[in-house]
Amino acid sequence: MTAHLDPTADRITAPPVRVGLVAGGLGAYWPQFPGLLPQLKRSAERVAERMRGLGAEVVDAGFISDEREGAAAAERLREAGCDLIVGFLTTYMTATMLVPVAQRSGAPVLLINLQPTESMDHAAFDTGQWLAYCGACPLPEMANAFARCGVPFRSVSGYLEDERAWAKIGRWVRAAGVRAALRRGRHGLMGHLYPGMLDVSTDLTLVAANFGGHVEVLEFDDLRVRVDKVTDAETEARKKQAREVFEFAESVNDTDLTWAARVSVGLDRLVEDFALDSLAYYHRGLDGEVHERLGAGMILGASLLTARGIPAAGEFELRTSLAMLIADRLGAGGSFTELQALDFTRGHVEMGHDGPAHLAISARRPLLRGLGVYHGKRGYGVSVEFDVKHGPVTAFGIIQRRDGRFAFAASEGEVVDGPLLEIGNTTSRVDFGCDPGEWTDAWSATGISHHWALATGHLVPDLKALADLMDVELVVVEP
């Protein structure tokens, strides 16, 4: 795809995750060891610098030395509306200095214990120099106090330039950004449920209850009136873009391409007018009337939107569009997917879907194929055919439990070579390292619906962090 127009060139820019930083130590030490506080403040400045390097907007509440300064920092961070609070334990400090921060901020709290270097110079150090390495000392105290106060506890210990520790911190920062995207998100739901799909049905109130955010209920007429206003010039420009992004099969005819391009421009306006971060849609239609034609013409525009970071899923699959959003915000794409077949000869699970796809994670230049009939759906037109980039992937979806709680399901595998159908579907062969039948049984037993997101990379560590911050169960299917 590098030789052609990048479909992500106008990708949306999400606001940076806002991290509140408070560093501290016991004020009784400062007059006893005059060189200690300046050293700890330098460490705090380095932590702030590295946080910004992770893409975070840092709200620095300064260095606290007692419970009064802790209370003042708590109020400042509460007012800042942070997505994550990071408490930097530079040396010993009392729990009463940080408990108010955790209680008042309204954001999850991560405690970090990063001593200056890997190890002390024991022969040369005096007490003041040792105390700069004493951030581990208050960590059990914080854990105990947080637990007794009903505050979830999480921490990372290491040293200041410890890349292993910063990789863990980075996961928490990314997870906080995804949590914020869900809490502030606006999710479009257009049309109606695909008849009979009980697993797909989602209680809209549960989205707000589990994740936050807003579901905007739309009608296909909201799209129709915008498509009606698309000009011929705009349509031709979108057709030109499609020819630069896609390889075209001979079956694509100009009439269907023109309609898909016109619908695509209308979709962009719909997303802009309602400030949508994601979209799930379906309309059955009848006898070729306009709503049926709109539903059939969605694939091009929905795929382009998904590549820009606004995931769009067919078949009214709201929870899967949310899973795609999570995967996308983790930098892993996330394409609309279901089971297609099991290859017991090669040990592969074949998965994909007809309709929209995440073009940014295609293994090659995606293909646009003309179809005279859509299987299981009315209408006809152009559809996307591609294979996800070969290498590590994660199947990831959202479960709605009987008690109304959402849960995450994930399984790590690898997209591999092998024969693929050429029927206008996204299709990938995934090796999960076990018998494909056994994997399918275990995956189905999680309670997942028959759709999910297929994302690049192994995401379970990031998803564990997100599940922790959101108090959501994560079910991992392993070989």
Side-chain angles (χ1 to χ4, degrees), residues 144-187:
N144 177 284
F146 277 33
R148 292 166 70 181
C149 292
V151 176
F153 177 82
R154 55 198 67 87
S155 66
V156 175
S157 291
Y159 55 96
L160 204 56
E161 302 301 337
D162 182 355
E163 296 307 322
R164 177 200 55 84
W166 279 105
K168 293 181 178 180
I169 293 168
R171 290 190 198 113
W172 290 113
V173 171
R174 287 192 297 275
V178 175
R179 177 179 179 270
L182 291 170
R183 288 167 64 87
R184 299 169 188 155
R186 292 177 55 83
H187 313 295

Side-chain angles (χ1 to χ4, degrees), residues 44-92:
E45 290 170 1
R46 178 57 177 155
V47 166
E49 181 182 15
R50 292 214 57 164
M51 285 288 177
R52 295 186 187 98
L54 294 172
E57 173 192 344
V58 177
V59 180
D60 194 342
F63 200 100
I64 62 173
S65 302
D66 56 36
E67 79 285 350
R68 291 185 180 182
E69 291 180 358
E75 193 61 20
R76 179 180 176 190
L77 295 178
R78 182 191 65 79
E79 293 174 351
C82 298
D83 303 315
L84 178 71
I85 303 296
V86 174
F88 179 21
L89 311 179
T90 66
T91 186
Y92 177 74

Side-chain angles (χ1 to χ4, degrees), residues 114-379:
L114 301 178
Q115 63 188 38
T117 64
E118 295 172 84
S119 177
M120 292 187 293
D121 183 351
H122 296 76
F125 273 24
D126 60 19
T127 302
Q129 291 166 307
W130 154 61
L131 286 172
Y133 285 73
C134 201
C137 180
L139 192 57
E141 177 176 339
M142 300 297 171
N144 177 284
F146 277 33
R148 292 166 70 181
C149 292
V151 176
F153 177 82
R154 55 198 67 87
S155 66
V156 175
S157 291
Y159 55 96
L160 204 56
E161 302 301 337
D162 182 355
E163 296 307 322
R164 177 200 55 84
W166 279 105
K168 293 181 178 180
I169 293 168
R171 290 190 198 113
W172 290 113
V173 171
R174 287 192 297 275
V178 175
R179 177 179 179 270
L182 291 170
R183 288 167 64 87
R184 299 169 188 155
R186 292 177 55 83
H187 313 295
L189 188 62
M190 183 169 69
H192 61 81
L193 183 70
Y194 190 108
M197 288 186 181
L198 297 180
D199 62 321
V200 167
S201 176
T202 300
D203 183 333
L204 302 191
T205 304
L206 293 182
V207 176
N210 285 274
F211 291 165
H214 168 74
V215 178
E216 184 72 21
V217 177
L218 302 166
E219 299 179 359
F220 261 75
D221 284 323
D222 291 311
L223 177 61
R224 176 184 58 78
V225 296
R226 287 164 175 82
V227 171
D228 286 345
K229 295 177 182 178
V230 175
T231 67
D232 291 342
E234 290 171 324
T235 301
E236 289 302 314
R238 186 55 52 91
K239 287 168 65 177
K240 181 176 183 293
Q241 181 188 26
R243 292 188 182 280
E244 293 173 323
V245 171
F246 293 92
E247 180 181 342
F248 276 41
E250 293 182 359
S251 56
V252 175
N253 66 64
D254 189 67
T255 300
D256 291 347
L257 177 62
T258 299
W259 176 247
R262 189 176 296 275
V263 173
S264 176
V265 177
L267 264 177
D268 284 0
R269 290 182 179 163
L270 181 81
V271 166
E272 181 178 358
D273 290 347
F274 289 96
L276 301 181
D277 297 295
S278 69
L279 175 66
Y281 65 90
Y282 175 75
H283 185 82
R284 182 170 56 185
L286 184 66
D287 295 338
E289 49 84 34
V290 65
H291 299 93
E292 179 185 301
R293 293 293 294 128
L294 285 167
M298 293 277 290
I299 295 172
L300 172 64
S303 297
L304 291 171
L305 280 174
T306 301
R308 287 173 46 206
I310 305 169
E315 298 183 10
F316 215 59
E317 245 295 17
L318 174 60
R319 295 197 309 281
T320 297
S321 64
L322 295 174
M324 292 164 64
L325 179 67
I326 290 170
D328 184 86
R329 295 304 185 266
L330 288 174
S335 203
F336 189 40
T337 306
E338 67 183 0
L339 290 170
Q340 293 181 325
L342 305 181
D343 189 334
F344 290 95
T345 300
R346 298 173 178 84
H348 302 159
V349 177
E350 297 180 58
M351 60 177 67
H353 209 283
D354 63 311
H358 200 309
L359 306 178
I361 62 171
S362 177
R364 57 188 181 278
R365 189 181 182 193
L367 178 75
L368 206 62
R369 186 181 295 280
L371 298 177
V373 61
Y374 291 150
H375 72 272
K377 302 179 181 69
R378 291 173 177 162

